Amino acid sequence: MKVLVPIKRVIDFNVKVRVKSDNSNVDLANVKMAINPFCEIAVEEAIRLKEAGIATEVIAVSIGTKACQEQLRTALALGADRAIQIQTDLELDSINIAKLLQKVVEEEQPKLVILGKQAIDSDNNQTGQMLAALTNMPQGTFASIVKVDGDKVNVTREVDGGLQTVALSLPAIVTTDLRLNEPRYASLPNIMKAKRKPLDVKNAEDFGIDLTPRTKTLKVTPPAERKAGIIVESIDELVEKLKNEAKVIS
Amino acid sequence: MSILVFAEHDNNSLKADTLKTVAAAQAIGGDIHILVAGSNCQSVAEAAAKINGVSKVLVADNAVYEHQLAENVSLLVTELAGDYEHILATALTTGKNFMPRVAALLDVTQISDIIGVESSDTFIRPIYAGNAIATVQSLDSKKVITVRTTGFDAVVTDGSAEVVALDTVTDAGNSSHVSDELTVSERPELGAASVIISGGRGMQNGDNFKLLDGIADKLGAAIGASRAAVDAGFVPNDMQVGQTGKIVAPDLYIAVGISGAIQHLAGMKDSKVIVAINKDPEAPIFQVADYGIVADLFDALPELESKL
Ligand SMILES: Cc1cc2nc3c(=O)[nH]c(=O)nc-3n(C[C@H](O)[C@H](O)[C@H](O)COP(=O)(O)OP(=O)(O)OC[C@H]3O[C@@H](n4cnc5c(N)ncnc54)[C@H](O)[C@@H]3O)c2cc1C
């Protein structure tokens, strides 16, 4: 079975982003970029399914500027078989991303689509669920265990109260949580090999989808700063401060 | 203009978080209806009818909604959507799961995790792990929104709304519930606690989390954790506080053996008072702590417990 893995190029998770002084957006000039950590977990899961003999082909897809080819090459180096870049300079809303992915699903007919549960830039947590709705597939979101079993998949999900396991008929959508797996590092030979793997480029405009923005960002501001606190010298002092100054304990 | 709010519940009791989502609905303004979708969930419907500012409670009580499977619930909400301009759910795992499906079925995008309302179409939401705050205008005709509970104060429960039973049954038939493995705890839930004490990798193992118990008992606190503590298997996933775990804002948050990574801070830096216990004076957690103590947690915790 084919597994499709949509991935996103985002700011590296170690970088603390800054807001532009004109409050129009965050400043990504000269900032280190990377594959979204949850997408990396998705790629890893797909590759493990291939290594287990369950998946036959792993296809990575990314929507964005030419720069996202870098993240597609990373996915190829990790073990994806081929990649598709859908070229656009627009910052698309999740619904429009999901509609483009729907077209890819229609063309590739994967049995499983694995996505990250959220991108660490927009923090939206939507695209996988939207794609599931548009393709009329069931979904296993926030997955910590994925078990393919014939024509269905059991997904154990991280939920507020603990864990929940659901059974989904294939084809299905899975979105990854942190505990699903620990992604491998790409080896140098695999990075070299990835350069020769197929990477198709398509234009977002050619998909016949109305990509009109659904949201408008009016401004982006820095969060309220917490005012600097103090270092206390002893537990006695801490307890005294919490009681009499902060008044949060009695 | 009408607003539909999805009730968070476990078929027995209404989650208090719903009261905060209703507060967001009130900030938008309009006639507010609540949807209770579940199985044998009449007690939830009764509780929902008491929420201040709600005029109607719609109850879809059927086995297909027992586990609130996204496939089934999203079809139900989409069917009801015609009557509403805004549809709101709490940004917890149930709402996060099914709401984007509703948005897609209605051909709109979702505004996730709002912490403020500017007007009926403009909302405030954190992005980049809370390191930037965006003011976003929705250009869609219907607004599908999830609400971050830390942004709103719960409304009171002195109302008496009309309760209407729905007979709509939407069964997508492509998913089923297998099992739950829920954490049982006598302590308050993270989202509801006014005091939280969280442990990180510095706790070294799951057994050492017992050192937090006595303090939590004395303070009526919930116990949380960093991702590192969950990944290492010290404690279950539902205890993770952070960008991609639970977002909390208690009156008092005590971080023990937690370094203060961006992703952890994203889940707790709106707490009223933050205390950090860490042996590394350079740990970033001290930059957001109101009171920091540079100490070995294995000395500090027993002493703190004895002095409370
Ligand atoms: C996509 C993504 C999502 C993430 N989401 C989250 C999230 O939601 N929540 C989250 O918490 N993290 C999240 N993280 C992880 C985050 O980046 C950090 O790795 C994590 O928060 C570190 O946990 P920690 O502070 O417990 O561990 P460490 O960073 O290892 O810190 C341990 C601290 O304990 C102190 N310590 C050790 N021994 C003692 C002692 N005896 N006494 C006192 N102090 C001691 C050390 O000085 C150190 O400061 C995410 C990361 C990624 C990439």
Side-chain angles (χ1 to χ4, degrees):
Chain A
M1 72 177 199
K2 272 193 203 175
V3 180
L4 182 71
V5 187
I7 63 174
K8 186 176 185 186
R9 172 184 168 90
V10 297
I11 189 169
D12 183 272
F13 81 95
N14 277 310
V15 179
K16 186 169 168 186
V17 78
R18 282 186 200 293
V19 170
K20 285 187 187 164
S21 55
D22 67 357
N23 288 344
S24 61
N25 209 332
V26 296
D27 191 356
L28 293 180
N30 303 316
V31 165
K32 186 174 174 212
M33 302 296 280
I35 179 170
N36 178 48
F38 289 101
C39 302
E40 200 175 358
I41 295 171
V43 172
E44 176 67 31
E45 194 65 15
I47 295 162
R48 290 187 189 190
L49 285 170
K50 193 175 171 201
E51 287 167 347
I54 296 166
T56 49
E57 188 182 26
V58 176
I59 307 153
V61 54
S62 192
I63 300 167
T65 62
K66 190 163 190 239
C68 75
Q69 288 189 9
E70 193 188 329
Q71 280 62 48
L72 287 170
R73 290 285 172 208
T74 306
L76 293 170
L78 290 169
D81 297 293
R82 60 186 169 92
I84 304 166
Q85 182 217 346
I86 300 180
Q87 162 65 38
T88 177
D89 293 337
L90 303 170
E91 256 200 55
L92 298 177
D93 291 305
S94 305
I95 183 74
N96 290 332
I97 297 282
K99 285 182 173 185
L100 288 168
L101 293 176
Q102 178 190 6
K103 296 286 180 191
V104 178
V105 167
E106 282 165 8
E107 184 164 331
E108 299 286 348
Q109 297 287 321
K111 270 278 192 296
L112 203 57
V113 186
I114 313 180
L115 306 89
K117 78 165 179 181
Q118 92 190 52
I120 61 164
D121 51 1
S122 54
D123 279 336
N124 270 324
N125 195 334
Q126 331 178 310
T127 304
Q129 296 90 316
M130 287 179 169
L131 179 61
L134 295 176
T135 55
N136 202 17
M137 287 190 210
Q139 66 189 42
T141 53
F142 328 144
S144 65
I145 303 173
V146 174
K147 274 199 189 121
V148 178
D149 179 13
D151 57 1
K152 68 180 185 44
V153 59
N154 273 23
V155 180
T156 300
R157 314 176 48 234
E158 295 199 356
V159 295
D160 291 323
L163 297 169
Q164 178 193 60
T165 302
V166 291
L168 315 173
S169 50
L170 293 174
I173 303 274
V174 167
T175 76
T176 63
D177 216 317
L178 296 169
R179 260 67 60 178
L180 183 57
N181 61 51
E182 218 177 299
R184 70 195 65 190
Y185 292 97
S187 67
L188 197 57
N190 284 343
I191 293 171
M192 300 311 290
K193 233 171 43 195
K195 292 186 178 157
R196 294 189 304 273
K197 288 188 180 175
L199 193 163
D200 271 1
V201 180
K202 302 187 178 192
N203 267 316
E205 294 81 58
D206 297 341
F207 284 78
I209 295 168
D210 177 5
L211 298 173
T212 311
R214 308 303 190 85
T215 56
K216 188 170 165 200
T217 299
L218 304 182
K219 65 175 182 207
V220 175
T221 54
E225 286 285 327
R226 286 190 76 92
K227 72 175 179 5
I230 57 163
I231 295 289
V232 296
E233 297 304 326
S234 67
I235 293 289
D236 285 320
E237 188 186 349
L238 176 64
V239 172
E240 191 273 321
K241 294 278 186 201
L242 291 177
K243 272 190 183 149
N244 303 321
E245 193 175 86
K247 298 191 169 64
V248 284
I249 62 173
S250 47
Chain B
M1 199 165 75
S2 295
I3 305 175
L4 183 67
V5 173
F6 181 85
E8 276 276 334
H9 65 88
D10 60 2
N11 292 318
N12 293 312
S13 53
L14 179 75
K15 265 206 177 179
D17 303 281
T18 306
L19 305 178
K20 299 180 180 173
T21 304
V22 170
Q26 286 184 343
I28 292 167
D31 191 19
I32 302 172
H33 298 176
I34 299 250
L35 170 64
V36 176
S39 176
N40 291 319
C41 55
Q42 283 308 315
S43 54
V44 179
E46 283 158 29
K50 298 201 177 84
I51 302 176
N52 186 282
V54 170
S55 68
K56 204 191 272 185
V57 178
L58 307 174
V59 191
D61 190 337
N62 191 286
V64 300
Y65 306 125
E66 183 179 356
H67 301 286
Q68 300 180 344
L69 293 171
E71 297 76 12
N72 299 349
V73 171
S74 59
L75 290 176
L76 171 67
V77 176
T78 307
E79 220 176 283
L80 299 173
D83 298 337
Y84 302 95
E85 191 167 319
H86 294 81
I87 302 169
L88 272 60
T90 312
L92 292 168
T93 49
T94 305
K96 287 177 177 177
N97 189 32
F98 80 85
M99 278 291 263
R101 267 188 105 99
V102 173
L105 293 172
L106 295 172
D107 192 12
V108 305
T109 209
Q110 174 177 292
I111 311 292
S112 295
D113 269 282
I114 66 163
I115 55 167
V117 174
E118 287 264 300
S119 71
S120 66
D121 69 359
T122 304
F123 309 95
I124 299 171
R125 59 179 305 266
I127 52 176
Y128 289 88
N131 288 307
I133 306 294
T135 303
V136 182
Q137 183 180 19
S138 163
L139 307 175
D140 284 315
S141 57
K142 275 189 203 299
K143 278 76 176 152
V144 173
I145 295 168
T146 61
V147 177
R148 183 175 288 193
T149 54
T150 53
F152 299 89
D153 292 326
V155 299
V156 294
T157 51
D158 59 358
S160 58
E162 172 195 5
V163 178
V164 180
L166 300 174
D167 47 22
T168 328
V169 179
T170 49
D171 185 357
N174 52 7
S175 66
S176 60
H177 177 263
V178 176
S179 61
D180 285 328
E181 202 181 304
L182 302 182
T183 306
V184 191
S185 166
E186 301 286 297
R187 300 194 185 285
E189 282 186 25
L190 279 168
S194 56
V195 180
I196 294 173
I197 182 163
S198 289
R201 198 195 310 268
M203 298 300 294
Q204 290 178 5
N205 58 47
D207 239 19
N208 288 337
F209 265 74
K210 293 200 186 102
L211 293 169
L212 305 180
D213 280 340
I215 298 170
D217 287 343
K218 288 194 168 167
L219 297 176
I223 298 184
S226 71
R227 173 193 175 179
V230 176
D231 281 6
F234 301 171
V235 291
N237 63 278
D238 50 276
M239 285 170 65
Q240 181 183 313
V241 170
Q243 179 188 14
T244 62
K246 288 191 175 141
I247 313 277
V248 298
D251 292 338
L252 173 61
Y253 187 92
I254 308 176
V256 185
I258 292 177
S259 61
I262 297 171
Q263 293 83 9
H264 190 77
L265 301 184
M268 46 63 80
K269 72 175 176 189
D270 291 330
S271 303
K272 209 167 122 213
V273 174
I274 297 173
V275 170
I277 302 176
N278 197 303
K279 67 177 180 190
D280 173 10
E282 303 299 321
I285 190 76
F286 288 123
Q287 289 163 21
V288 300
D290 299 281
Y291 304 106
I293 180 156
V294 181
D296 191 307
L297 66 90
F298 295 102
D299 302 326
L301 290 176
E303 187 181 346
L304 179 60
E305 183 183 340
S306 72
K307 291 194 168 146
L308 283 173

